[in-house]
Amino acid sequence: MSESSCESVAVTLRALVALVRESEREMAQRLGLNLTDYRALCALVESAPLTSGRLAEELGCTAATTTAITNRLELHGYVTRERSETDRRLVTLSASPEASQRILDLTFPLVSVLSEQLQTLPPDQITTVVAFLDTTQDLMRTHLQTLSSKDAT
């Protein structure tokens, strides 16, 4: 691949990342949330149930911040807390069915047209796209870990 082709891909990826950020802000606004609360809600939609401590790890927040986020989400009716039957100290957090449905409603139109677009590609191109996106995710995770470890020092 030529240097100009690589630069073209890099420009496209930067634009995609910018669009993801803008989309997150817009979806948060539609749900009446700030961006941090929206990201917490998405973490719960994707991975619930989570303890408050695990959610704090996911968000990179303190326990106190996570409690405040959870309280705000609960006030909106987006999060439920459930105490363990066996250990009353253990509380798990889950996105409410309504919150999950609202996020699905906001994301489904894009997911649907992307799926339609992918179906127009030949199988070998889909394989290439998936491989590129998988590698991109791995590289982004590594970069994030590098950034996080620099913050810790």
Side-chain angles (χ1 to χ4, degrees):
M1 184 181 282
S2 72
E3 190 174 324
S4 64
S5 296
C6 287
E7 181 58 28
S8 176
V9 170
V11 167
T12 301
L13 283 174
R14 283 193 296 272
L16 180 62
V17 169
L19 282 168
V20 167
R21 285 193 309 262
E22 290 176 41
S23 295
E24 271 189 322
R25 280 193 298 275
E26 184 63 32
M27 286 189 275
Q29 184 178 19
R30 293 274 179 109
L31 294 169
L33 301 173
N34 65 46
L35 196 50
T36 301
D37 292 3
Y38 172 75
R39 287 179 177 153
L41 181 58
C42 286
L44 290 170
V45 167
E46 293 171 14
S47 303
L50 295 174
T51 63
S52 185
R54 183 68 186 114
L55 181 59
E57 289 174 17
E58 289 277 326
L59 300 174
C61 295
T62 65
T65 299
T66 304
T67 298
I69 291 168
T70 303
N71 289 342
R72 289 190 301 268
L73 291 173
E74 192 173 38
L75 282 172
H76 282 285
Y78 291 151
V79 167
T80 59
R81 298 175 200 236
E82 188 172 321
R83 288 201 181 277
S84 168
E85 294 288 328
T86 57
D87 182 352
R88 301 295 292 161
R89 296 170 296 172
L90 182 63
V91 177
T92 56
L93 308 169
S94 296
S96 69
E98 296 80 14
S100 296
Q101 185 61 52
R102 289 198 64 194
I103 289 176
L104 179 64
D105 291 345
L106 290 170
T107 58
F108 180 77
L110 177 60
V111 171
S112 179
V113 296
L114 287 173
S115 179
E116 289 173 13
Q117 182 64 37
L118 281 172
Q119 290 175 13
T120 68
L121 297 176
D124 62 321
Q125 287 185 0
I126 292 173
T127 301
T128 301
V129 169
V130 169
F132 176 77
L133 292 174
D134 285 345
T135 300
T136 300
Q137 287 183 77
D138 290 342
L139 294 170
M140 290 177 79
R141 278 188 203 95
T142 300
H143 182 65
L144 180 59
Q145 288 171 347
T146 301
L147 292 174
S148 296
S149 66
K150 286 181 182 178
D151 288 344
T153 57

